[in-house]
Amino acid sequence: MEKQLLDYESEENELVNLSRNNDIEVIYPHAEIKVERDQYPIFQLYRKFKKDQIVLDPDFQRGGDVWNPRQKSELIESVLMGIPLPIFYLNESKEGKLIVVDGRQRLTTFFSFLNNEFRLKNLRILEDLNNLYFADLDSKHQANFEDFQIIAQIIKPPTPDRIKFDIFDRVNRGGTPLNNQEMRNALYQGKSTVLLKEIAENPNFIKATQNSIQSKRMKDKYLILRAIAFNQWNFNLLVDANGHQIEYKNDIDEFLGKTMEYLNNCSNEEIKLIKKNFINSMICNHIIMNEEAFRRLKVNGRRQPINMILFEALTSLMSGWEVEDCQRNKEVIKKKITFLLENDELNKLLTIDRGRGLVVPAIFEMVNNMKEDIEHAF
């Protein structure tokens, strides 16, 4: 099936950048920004990488950026010659891990060479080193390589996500700019990113959305994350590390960042339950609404694209339901959902919101009332 734009999405980056503030400098004077300059020998970074203290996320900087053998060899030659390299940018997580913002290919090349995974090829200056692995170099060249100093700018806590996003934009401006979800995927590696990947690839999610949500630029993961975030928030399950409920203050980026932190701190059993409820909801939504799931009513017989807020609301509606209940009560549930979709107030809220999530509390109140009515029939 041909991929569709989501409701509210008129251009490629709008979906994932709805909340990006063009006047972000207004926020800067009131935010705590912490960026420090540091330097590391290559071997020290290699040790950190081996101890899982450096995150090289392959989804962060995409496959088209992969270097060829000549680029790798030229980089190693430059280091062995002592030529200074451009600054690296790293983000330090709350747990102390270093997430590579700019310089992933260079670090990957260094670590791969130290692992003896490729030979030096086509060197034009240090020609006598051609066809050698790291292990084949003499002790002087090995020491020079391991001791070479990397200069890095470290973005440290508690720098807000919005400002990190802006820094990422500036650093990556030479290539394809990362969108907010791609940045989140880099910043919050852990159970959250694994969960989003597993759900996005699940056949029941693909079937319920009619295979119409693009995986390109992580649009599917963005949609799923929003639904999980608002569902957990709706049931008062979304809490920070101190057990305090996370509030939704109409800042979707901050809210989704906190949700990924929450998911990373969940137990394995909690993650399994979130996934089970989500997938069951996908199955139930497809049983009830089939190809019309998560869409506004047809206009002039034309099927509408999936609506983000309806996706969140109807995913929450059927969260916790068993598939058998949906099958047994299909006609009752469909009738109530159709009645809701005809509601003028709902459609007015969806129209004024344009996907920002500002109207979520009001729409969820409608859905929660409907959920209570439906469950009486179970």
Side-chain angles (χ1 to χ4, degrees):
M1 175 175 288
E2 182 180 353
K3 300 289 186 181
Q4 286 185 314
L5 293 177
L6 284 162
D7 196 0
Y8 307 130
E9 185 190 7
S10 60
E11 55 186 62
E12 181 175 5
N13 288 327
E14 184 179 349
L15 168 62
V16 281
N17 290 317
L18 284 166
S19 61
R20 187 167 291 184
N21 189 341
N22 292 329
D23 299 320
I24 197 163
E25 64 272 10
V26 175
I27 302 173
Y28 273 34
H30 309 291
E32 188 170 352
I33 307 168
K34 193 174 183 183
V35 181
E36 296 180 357
R37 185 184 179 96
D38 208 341
Q39 62 185 59
Y40 306 89
I42 287 178
F43 195 72
Q44 182 183 355
L45 291 176
Y46 178 66
R47 286 201 308 268
K48 286 180 177 290
F49 174 67
K50 298 291 280 186
K51 294 179 179 178
D52 198 32
Q53 295 173 352
I54 290 182
V55 178
L56 295 172
D57 174 21
D59 288 331
F60 182 19
Q61 292 171 307
R62 293 162 292 279
D65 300 324
V66 175
W67 282 8
N68 60 42
R70 179 174 180 176
Q71 289 172 300
K72 293 178 181 180
S73 292
E74 285 183 349
L75 176 66
I76 302 302
E77 183 180 43
S78 296
V79 169
L80 292 173
M81 292 171 61
I83 297 174
L85 300 179
I87 288 177
F88 291 65
Y89 281 82
L90 310 174
N91 176 72
E92 184 179 303
S93 71
K94 292 179 181 178
E95 296 75 32
K97 290 189 177 184
L98 296 175
I99 298 150
V100 182
V101 177
D102 185 58
R104 185 182 72 86
Q105 289 294 340
R106 287 176 286 168
L107 288 179
T108 299
T109 299
F110 295 154
F111 302 158
S112 179
F113 187 58
L114 285 167
N115 285 335
N116 297 301
E117 293 173 2
F118 68 90
R119 300 174 186 266
L120 298 175
K121 297 284 187 181
N122 302 312
L123 300 185
R124 292 176 293 176
I125 300 176
L126 303 179
E127 294 180 349
D128 55 327
L129 302 183
N130 276 317
N131 298 313
L132 299 184
Y133 289 105
F134 174 78
D136 299 328
L137 299 178
D138 61 39
S139 57
K140 180 181 178 182
H141 279 117
Q142 288 184 350
N144 288 343
F145 182 78
E146 292 177 340
D147 294 342
F148 185 86
Q149 297 289 313
I150 296 299
I151 308 299
Q153 295 285 4
I154 316 295
I155 307 165
K156 292 178 171 282
T159 305
D161 281 359
R162 275 182 172 255
I163 296 174
K164 289 179 185 177
F165 290 177
D166 190 54
I167 293 172
F168 283 26
D169 262 348
R170 294 164 190 252
V171 169
N172 285 278
R173 202 157 281 174
T176 303
L178 298 172
N179 64 46
N180 292 12
Q181 186 57 39
E182 289 168 327
M183 293 177 192
R184 270 188 293 271
N185 207 70
L187 290 171
Y188 297 104
Q189 284 286 300
K191 293 177 182 178
S192 61
T193 51
V194 172
L195 176 65
L196 295 180
K197 184 176 187 294
E198 289 178 349
I199 292 177
E201 294 174 352
N202 188 282
N204 293 296
F205 167 74
I206 295 170
K207 184 177 181 180
T209 56
Q210 296 286 293
N211 196 27
S212 63
I213 307 300
Q214 298 185 27
S215 58
K216 181 182 178 183
R217 307 304 307 271
M218 299 193 183
K219 293 184 178 183
D220 49 357
K221 294 177 182 177
Y222 174 75
L223 185 69
I224 293 164
L225 177 60
R226 280 182 57 131
I228 291 174
F230 283 120
N231 182 66
Q232 299 301 101
W233 167 83
N234 186 41
F235 293 113
N236 299 317
L237 297 173
L238 196 62
V239 295
D240 62 22
N242 298 316
H244 300 138
Q245 287 192 4
I246 295 172
E247 298 180 8
Y248 175 55
K249 300 178 180 178
N250 297 337
D251 184 336
I252 197 70
D253 283 325
E254 179 184 15
F255 184 62
L256 295 182
K258 289 181 177 179
T259 298
M260 293 191 78
E261 281 188 339
Y262 156 79
L263 292 172
N264 283 340
N265 291 326
C266 282
S267 68
N268 290 337
E269 289 305 312
E270 288 171 326
I271 292 292
K272 285 181 183 177
L273 181 60
I274 291 170
K275 181 179 177 181
K276 175 181 180 290
N277 285 338
F278 195 101
I279 297 304
N280 272 9
S281 180
M282 294 298 102
I283 296 171
C284 287
N285 270 283
H286 185 261
I287 288 172
I288 305 301
M289 301 300 291
N290 202 351
E291 65 177 17
E292 298 301 322
F294 315 118
R295 303 169 193 266
R296 300 170 81 169
L297 295 178
K298 290 181 178 179
V299 177
N300 297 323
R302 183 179 178 183
R303 191 174 65 151
Q304 299 300 296
I306 286 177
N307 180 286
M308 284 189 289
I309 295 177
L310 283 181
F311 183 86
E312 295 151 11
L314 295 176
T315 296
S316 185
L317 170 69
M318 303 190 196
S319 179
W321 287 1
E322 296 299 330
V323 174
E324 294 77 13
D325 290 328
C326 294
Q327 290 170 330
R328 188 170 54 252
N329 299 281
K330 176 179 177 179
E331 294 307 319
V332 172
I333 300 170
K334 184 173 183 179
K335 183 177 179 180
K336 288 188 176 292
I337 291 176
T338 302
F339 184 75
L340 176 68
L341 295 176
E342 292 172 343
N343 185 291
D344 289 339
E345 182 182 356
L346 172 74
N347 284 287
K348 179 180 178 182
L349 290 171
L350 290 175
T351 300
I352 64 173
D353 188 83
R354 303 303 299 165
R356 293 185 294 273
L358 305 177
V359 301
V360 165
I363 291 177
F364 268 64
E365 184 177 357
M366 295 180 189
V367 170
N368 289 340
N369 291 335
M370 183 171 68
K371 185 182 183 86
E372 187 175 344
D373 288 343
I374 292 172
E375 288 179 346
H376 283 312
F378 285 4

